[in-house]
Amino acid sequence: MERRSATVDWLIKIRPPATNARADDNQAPAPRLKRLAARTPAAEPQALPRFLMTAADQADPQSSDESAETRSRLSAAYTPSRPVSDWRMFAGRTGVLSTLIRSIEHHRMHAVIFGERGIGKTSLMHVLAHAAREARYLIVYISCGASSNFDDVFRAVVAGVPLLFHRDFGPASAEAERGDTFADLLAPGPVSVHAAGDLLGRISGTRLIVMLDEFDRSESSEFKRNIAELLKNLSDRSVRAQVVIGGVAANLTELIEHIPSIQRNVLALQVPRMTDEEVRSFIGNGEAFSGIRFSEAAVELVVTAAGGMPYLASLLCHHAGLVAIDGGKPAVAAEEVAAAMEVALQELKGRISRRSQLESAILMGRPMRLLVRLSDALGASTSSFTEDDIHAAFPRAQDLMRCRELVEGLAEEGILLTREEDEWGTNYRFVEHSAVAYLRLLYARALALPNRRLAQSKALED
Ligand SMILES: Nc1ncnc2c1ncn2[C@@H]1O[C@H](COP(=O)(O)OP(=O)(O)O)[C@@H](O)[C@H]1O
Ligand SMILES: [Mg+2]
C-alpha cells in the first residue's frame, strides 16, 4: 500500500465534504480565495495547541483543561531550566549560605563560588542577594558572557548604584533627585581598574555587592585579570563594595587567574552535592508549593537517581509530576519517576554528543557503577582529576584497582575521558561535563528497572 505523508493526511482531513463542493459548483465561479473562505466553516476546525495559562498566570478561561493550574504550580515548584529565584523554594544549603553571609558581613571578604554545572551556584547567589537586600545592601547581579569586558561590566555595575549613595552628593543633591547614578560620573573611554576602585570608594550610607555569575564563560583573560585586580584594590582600601563571583570550575584558580596573591581576602567556596536529606527537603518544598504529593518510594527513587545534583532532582520531579497529572493520578509514585527518567534522558541526550551517548551506553554494568561512584565523589572536580582523587574516592583496595584500570583504559581510548600530563603528573578529565549527569541517570534507570527491587539502588552507595 502506498504510504502517505503526514501533510497529505492532514490535507485530506481538512478537505470539505464532496456535497459542499457540488453546491459551490452550481454558483457562479468565485475567485479562488473567496471559495476557500466559504468552505472553511464546513471543515473540521483544527485544534491547535494553546497556552494553558495567561501571561498573568491565570488559567485560560477558554481552556477546558482543569489541570492547567496544577501544572502551573508544578512548574513553579520545580524549575529545572532556571535557578531558584523564590527563596521559599530554596532547599538546604544552610551551612554554605551562613558561611557566605559571615564572610561578607564579618570579614568583609569577597567570595568565589565554584562547582559543577547544575549544582546550585546561581540559586545560591540569588538567595544570598535576597538576604543581603533584606539587610539593605545594594545588589548588582551580572551574568557574564564570552565577550564580557571590564569596561562594559563596570559601567553596568555602577549604573545600578544611585548617586544618593555617593559621599560627595548625598540624597538632597539635585543630581540624586534627578535619579542619576554613579555611571553618570564616568568619563567616556575605557575605565581603568584604578578609576573603578576610586569610584566605588565613594560609596557611603550603604554597601554594594557585585555579583558576577557565569564567570567561566568569559573568554578574555584580560577581563579576569582586571576583576582580580579590582578585588585586590577594593580589599586594600576597605571600600564598601564586595564582589561575589560564580562559575563552573574545579577550583578557585581555574576560575580566576592571578587570584592567589589576594587569596586571604577571598572566600573560596565550593558548592558540594546536596545530601540526601537536602534532596528530600527539596522535594518536600515542591510538594507543599504545588500540592502534588510524592510517595515515599518516589522520593527515594529521586534521591538515588539525583545523587545530590539539584538539577537532576528538579528535572525528575518536574517530569514525574507532569506524568502523574497527565495520568490523572492523585500523587507521584515510583512508576512516574521511572517514566520521568526516560524523558530526562532524552532531554540530556540533546546536550551531549552522539559519541558520548554511545560510549556511555557501552559502559553498562560494573564500569558504569565505578564511573558514577567516581564522579559522585569528585563532585565539582569532574572537570579535572588526578590519581589522588581516585584514591580518595575508593577506600576499598579492590575497587580502587578496578577503577584505576578503568580510568586508564578509557582515557587511553579517549572514551568519555581524556588524559593530560603536566609537570605535576597525570590529569584526567571528562570530555563532556554533561555526560556525567547522563551517565548517572542511565545507571539509576538500570537499577530501577521493574524486575529489580528498589532497594538495589543502595548499590550506588556500596
Ligand atoms: N538549594 C536549592 N533548592 C532548590 N533547588 C535548587 C537548589 N539549588 C539548585 N536548585 C535547582 O537546580 C537547578 C540548577 O541550579 P543552578 O542554580 O542554576 O545551578 P548552577 O548555577 O550551579 O548551574 C535549578 O533547576 C535550580 O532550580
Ligand atoms: Mg548558574
Side-chain angles (χ1 to χ4, degrees):
M1 208 183 108
E2 190 195 336
R3 277 191 66 119
R4 284 194 308 250
S5 76
T7 319
V8 173
D9 274 343
W10 181 73
L11 280 173
I12 288 172
K13 209 167 153 196
I14 64 161
R15 197 160 56 194
T19 47
N20 277 10
R22 231 177 281 130
D24 271 0
D25 290 344
N26 294 335
Q27 288 161 18
R32 186 177 151 68
L33 267 180
K34 251 193 186 161
R35 268 218 321 269
L36 273 177
R39 290 199 305 232
T40 307
E44 279 277 300
Q46 195 203 354
L48 279 175
R50 295 175 61 88
F51 283 79
L52 296 175
M53 303 294 288
T54 68
D57 298 338
Q58 310 282 315
D60 177 356
Q62 286 188 44
S63 168
S64 54
D65 189 344
E66 284 160 15
S67 60
E69 234 170 292
T70 322
R71 275 169 206 278
S72 162
R73 283 202 309 270
L74 179 82
S75 300
Y78 304 111
T79 57
S81 54
R82 50 181 204 277
V84 175
S85 52
D86 182 340
W87 59 270
R88 290 168 303 171
M89 299 311 301
F90 187 75
R93 307 296 200 196
T94 42
V96 177
L97 193 57
S98 57
T99 303
L100 257 173
I101 293 177
R102 236 182 300 118
S103 311
I104 290 173
E105 185 170 40
H106 295 332
H107 307 297
R108 297 294 168 210
M109 290 167 89
H110 307 286
V112 177
I113 300 172
F114 60 94
E116 59 190 322
R117 184 157 294 122
I119 197 67
K121 300 176 294 296
T122 303
S123 303
L124 188 63
M125 287 167 89
H126 283 344
V127 173
L128 172 69
H130 172 83
R133 278 195 195 101
E134 277 194 336
R136 296 178 174 272
Y137 280 71
L138 273 184
I139 310 293
V140 179
Y141 174 92
I142 290 178
S143 190
C144 301
S147 58
S148 288
N149 66 69
F150 186 74
D151 192 55
D152 289 349
V153 166
F154 186 73
R155 283 175 190 276
V157 166
V158 288
V161 187
L163 213 52
L164 69 96
F165 295 116
H166 193 293
R167 68 167 188 227
D168 300 340
F169 288 84
S173 67
E175 292 86 346
E177 283 191 352
R178 205 165 59 200
D180 283 7
T181 68
F182 276 46
D184 295 306
L185 302 179
L186 287 173
V191 184
S192 69
V193 171
H194 190 76
D198 271 355
L199 187 56
L200 294 179
R202 310 263 151 179
I203 294 176
S204 97
T206 189
R207 287 184 180 276
L208 170 69
I209 298 180
V210 179
M211 294 188 167
L212 302 177
D213 199 5
E214 318 280 346
F215 200 70
D216 55 294
R217 285 180 195 260
S218 158
E219 286 167 5
S220 157
S221 53
E222 190 191 348
F223 170 64
K224 293 183 176 180
R225 195 174 51 245
N226 282 341
I227 294 293
E229 263 174 47
L230 180 67
L231 259 62
K232 185 166 183 335
N233 186 305
L234 297 178
S235 315
D236 288 351
R237 301 186 304 159
S238 53
V239 171
R240 299 176 77 84
Q242 284 156 280
V243 182
V244 176
I245 292 173
V248 178
N251 54 54
L252 180 72
T253 42
E254 189 179 302
L255 194 61
I256 177 161
E257 304 158 62
H258 316 285
I259 208 136
S261 59
I262 53 160
Q263 220 153 9
R264 78 202 140 79
N265 299 316
V266 178
L267 169 76
L269 192 87
Q270 177 176 342
V271 183
R273 295 267 180 114
M274 277 183 158
T275 62
D276 288 357
E277 218 27 72
E278 286 178 318
V279 178
R280 285 190 196 101
S281 104
F282 161 81
I283 301 170
N285 282 352
E287 284 181 298
F289 194 83
S290 67
I292 297 166
R293 310 284 308 168
F294 280 64
S295 74
E296 223 168 278
V299 170
E300 288 318 301
L301 193 50
V302 172
V303 168
T304 306
M309 294 166 87
Y311 165 69
L312 274 187
S314 187
L315 192 64
L316 290 173
C317 288
H318 184 236
H319 286 308
L322 286 179
V323 176
I325 295 170
D326 283 347
K329 296 268 187 75
V332 176
E335 198 184 324
E336 277 79 47
V337 179
M341 282 189 197
E342 301 303 327
V343 186
L345 274 168
Q346 288 305 322
E347 207 165 307
L348 289 177
K349 265 188 183 175
R351 292 172 202 204
I352 60 173
S353 67
R354 176 115 180 90
R355 182 178 166 162
S356 290
Q357 290 170 35
L358 295 173
E359 288 173 351
S360 302
I362 56 164
L363 289 178
M364 204 49 102
R366 189 200 281 155
M368 189 176 279
R369 181 172 73 88
L370 288 172
L371 218 50
V372 166
R373 269 187 59 189
L374 175 65
S375 65
D376 281 358
L378 294 170
S381 311
T382 45
S383 50
S384 172
F385 60 95
T386 62
E387 283 273 331
D388 288 348
D389 295 321
I390 306 175
H391 256 272
F394 292 93
R396 276 212 319 243
Q398 204 182 17
D399 285 343
L400 173 65
M401 198 183 66
R402 284 179 179 150
C403 189
R404 280 174 59 184
E405 271 175 25
L406 175 70
V407 167
E408 190 50 39
L410 293 177
E412 187 73 39
E413 299 294 325
I415 297 175
L416 292 178
L417 299 176
T418 57
R419 187 179 53 196
E420 289 157 18
E421 302 288 336
D422 65 15
E423 69 266 39
W424 308 108
T426 311
N427 285 302
Y428 301 95
R429 179 183 288 275
F430 278 82
V431 178
E432 278 183 277
H433 190 270
S434 305
V436 173
Y438 182 71
L439 205 62
R440 184 159 230 308
L441 216 45
L442 213 53
Y443 186 59
R445 180 180 68 171
L447 291 174
L449 282 177
N451 58 347
R452 309 249 187 147
R453 284 177 52 78
L454 196 61
Q456 275 186 308
S457 60
K458 288 284 165 240
L460 278 175
E461 277 80 52
D462 289 346

